Amino acid sequence: MPRVIISGAGIAGTVLAYWLGKNGFDVVVLERSMSSTQSGQIIDVEGPAQEIVTRMGLMEEIKSNVTHEAGMRFVDDSGKEFARFPVGSTGISNEIEIMRPALSGILLASAENLPNVEFRNGCTIRGLQQTTSDVIVDIHDRANDTTSQEHFDILVAADGLRSPTRDLILPASMKASCLKSIDVFAAFFSIPAEPQDRPYANLYQATGRRGLFTKPMNEQETSAYVMHCKYDQRLHDARESRDVDRQKKAIAALYQGLGWETDRLIRGMMETKNFYFEEISQVKLDKWSHGRCVLLGDTAYCPSPLTGQGTNLAILGAYLLANKLVNDIENPVKAFEEYETDFRPYVNKVQPIPLGGYFPLLINPDTSWGLWIQRSVLSWISWLQPWKYFPYIKNVPHALPDL
């Protein structure tokens, strides 16, 4: 059977490892982190991704780890609620919301149970060479600072938005400007929980296209978010620096002193170790593969957190790629082409930012007047409860193939 190497033990890489391993492939998964423990905030599992994890026998375990969020509350400067949207009414909150580390752990345990799937922590790809029959990969082990060379039939890059493996795979002409910034900055972090954090998520907006919100995690911690929906050079430079302390200070300078519980969130942000900051971007490529190497998940088609589709595209893409490889073992190049031909239309459908790309601007007005209009409209919609008469419809692709 083919030998496959996957760069990245995130959701996409782990789901692919499971389905390939289940079908007899020998799989090696590399993860840069020295441990299997991952950080991260709340994500949702919906549509075809639910069917896939059900086929993996994991749905009940996933349901037992959900956050039990009841919906989203919009609050003003004083913390007074002016609009409420129950779970499942608009797509803002979904029925299956789970912490990324919890979902990753469930998927990882399932793949690790297969004897032909190997996970190597603290390892990255330093270089690669393709031949007509295999991929020669230079694997760097951070623990002992050594690099070894191994041969594989297929290489899959699933190491995220800013994938270094993607840069090794694609020619310069294919990868040029594949990262598309949407001029939105976001920080995701954990803070100590307080009673008002449950069971609803709480969203607060201020002028200057600034927004903060909390989502319930568990009795001990709350998931907090800061959104800055216009370009800011200080935030851009802080992200590029990769200096976490600098990033936190840049955010604090823009948000301290606002209304609601902003100071509590900023104080918690400065103290937490579970922190991630990003200039929100999408990945758009004309082709997802090159020779015997293929891109998967955010590495190939990151939709951005603003679409709410990252996790679902990762799971669905991994399943469909596995299906193509299983059904065309001897010709991976053809399998990659079919994977892209079948899946790209769906990616193109769900990748666009909602409301014609204006969603982050409309949900976070720049002026006091815009904020007043937005709050008035949301309050009116919340009072009318249109979801009772026009249910929210999720994007669902064609029936899934068997694996």
Side-chain angles (χ1 to χ4, degrees):
M1 294 298 285
R3 189 166 188 243
V4 179
I5 184 169
I6 301 172
S7 177
I11 290 169
T14 304
V15 172
L16 179 65
Y18 170 85
W19 286 109
L20 291 181
K22 189 173 183 291
N23 284 275
F25 286 60
D26 291 321
V27 184
V28 173
V29 185
L30 306 184
E31 172 54 44
R32 178 179 179 81
S33 172
M34 297 297 290
S35 74
S36 299
T37 302
Q38 297 189 22
S39 61
Q41 299 301 315
I42 293 172
I43 54 179
D44 59 74
V45 181
E46 62 179 45
Q50 288 190 17
E51 173 62 23
I52 292 166
V53 297
T54 298
R55 294 184 184 188
M56 295 173 72
L58 302 176
M59 180 54 81
E60 292 308 311
E61 186 176 2
I62 288 172
K63 285 184 176 179
S64 69
N65 283 272
V66 298
T67 62
H68 302 288
E69 181 178 312
M72 175 73 78
R73 298 170 64 246
F74 287 77
V75 297
D76 62 16
D77 292 2
S78 65
K80 181 181 178 181
E81 176 187 316
F82 62 85
R84 177 183 296 201
F85 298 90
V87 66
S89 62
T90 62
I92 296 175
S93 296
N94 294 288
E95 293 179 3
I96 298 183
E97 299 214 345
I98 183 171
M99 294 303 300
R100 177 179 288 276
L103 179 61
S104 296
I106 293 169
L107 296 172
L108 178 66
S110 183
E112 280 185 323
N113 283 334
L114 298 172
N116 48 332
V117 176
E118 176 190 0
F119 284 83
R120 301 183 191 174
N121 290 322
C123 292
T124 58
I125 295 176
R126 282 287 180 89
L128 62 90
Q129 295 175 288
Q130 293 200 59
T131 72
T132 56
S133 59
D134 66 359
V135 185
I136 307 167
V137 183
D138 298 327
I139 301 174
H140 181 71
D141 188 333
R142 294 172 58 203
N144 51 32
D145 196 24
T146 59
T147 300
S148 59
Q149 201 168 78
E150 297 185 39
H151 291 247
F152 297 87
D153 297 286
I154 296 166
L155 186 155
V156 182
D159 45 351
L161 172 69
R162 301 182 186 275
S163 164
T165 312
R166 179 178 59 218
D167 292 339
L168 295 174
I169 293 172
L170 298 182
S173 59
M174 290 177 62
K175 66 188 177 186
S177 304
C178 70
L179 275 177
K180 311 292 184 182
S181 174
I182 55 178
D183 293 340
V184 172
F185 298 86
F188 313 83
F189 51 96
S190 302
I191 61 174
E194 293 189 5
Q196 68 273 20
D197 298 338
R198 301 180 67 87
Y200 281 84
N202 297 283
L203 175 60
Y204 165 72
Q205 293 118 330
T207 55
R209 303 201 187 282
R210 292 173 291 180
L212 305 96
F213 62 101
T214 60
K215 294 173 79 69
M217 284 172 54
N218 52 50
E219 297 295 336
Q220 292 75 42
E221 289 185 298
T222 289
S223 188
Y225 305 78
V226 172
M227 300 285 288
H228 195 82
C229 296
K230 66 178 180 181
Y231 185 79
D232 186 278
Q233 190 65 46
R234 291 167 294 179
L235 294 179
H236 172 80
D237 292 344
R239 201 227 68 82
E240 292 296 309
S241 75
R242 300 186 181 183
D243 182 331
V244 171
D245 186 58
R246 180 178 174 181
Q247 292 169 359
K248 289 181 176 182
K249 288 179 179 178
I251 295 167
L254 289 168
Y255 283 80
Q256 278 180 330
L258 296 179
W260 182 50
E261 299 185 9
T262 298
D263 285 348
R264 171 198 164 206
L265 268 61
I266 297 302
R267 185 168 58 251
M269 178 192 72
M270 299 301 292
E271 297 172 355
T272 188
K273 293 182 179 179
N274 184 8
F275 173 86
Y276 178 73
F277 177 65
E278 185 57 89
E279 181 173 349
I280 302 299
S281 302
Q282 295 184 314
V283 173
K284 296 189 176 182
L285 287 161
D286 293 332
K287 191 172 176 60
W288 297 343
S289 63
H290 182 63
R292 288 178 166 268
C293 302
V294 66
L295 312 182
L296 176 66
D298 282 355
T299 304
Y301 38 77
C302 176
S304 92
L306 295 176
T307 67
Q309 292 295 322
T311 300
N312 300 298
L313 285 181
I315 294 173
L316 180 56
Y319 184 86
L320 295 179
L321 176 58
N323 172 262
K324 297 301 181 183
L325 288 170
V326 168
N327 289 319
D328 208 339
I329 294 174
E330 301 301 325
N331 194 344
V333 174
K334 179 185 175 187
F336 296 159
E337 291 173 351
E338 291 179 350
Y339 148 69
E340 182 170 346
T341 298
D342 289 355
F343 193 39
R344 185 180 283 275
Y346 182 68
V347 171
N348 290 344
K349 181 179 179 181
V350 303
Q351 192 179 43
I353 305 300
L355 302 178
Y358 289 100
F359 173 74
L361 303 182
L362 293 174
I363 202 67
N364 288 286
D366 200 15
T367 65
S368 297
W369 176 240
L371 202 57
W372 180 86
I373 293 175
Q374 181 239 45
R375 290 177 177 177
S376 299
V377 170
L378 289 174
S379 178
W380 180 69
I381 294 173
S382 175
W383 179 77
L384 286 176
Q385 300 183 3
W387 51 86
K388 290 185 176 181
Y389 313 101
F390 306 99
Y392 171 67
I393 305 297
K394 298 181 176 68
N395 290 304
V396 179
H398 299 298
L400 293 171
D402 292 327
L403 254 180

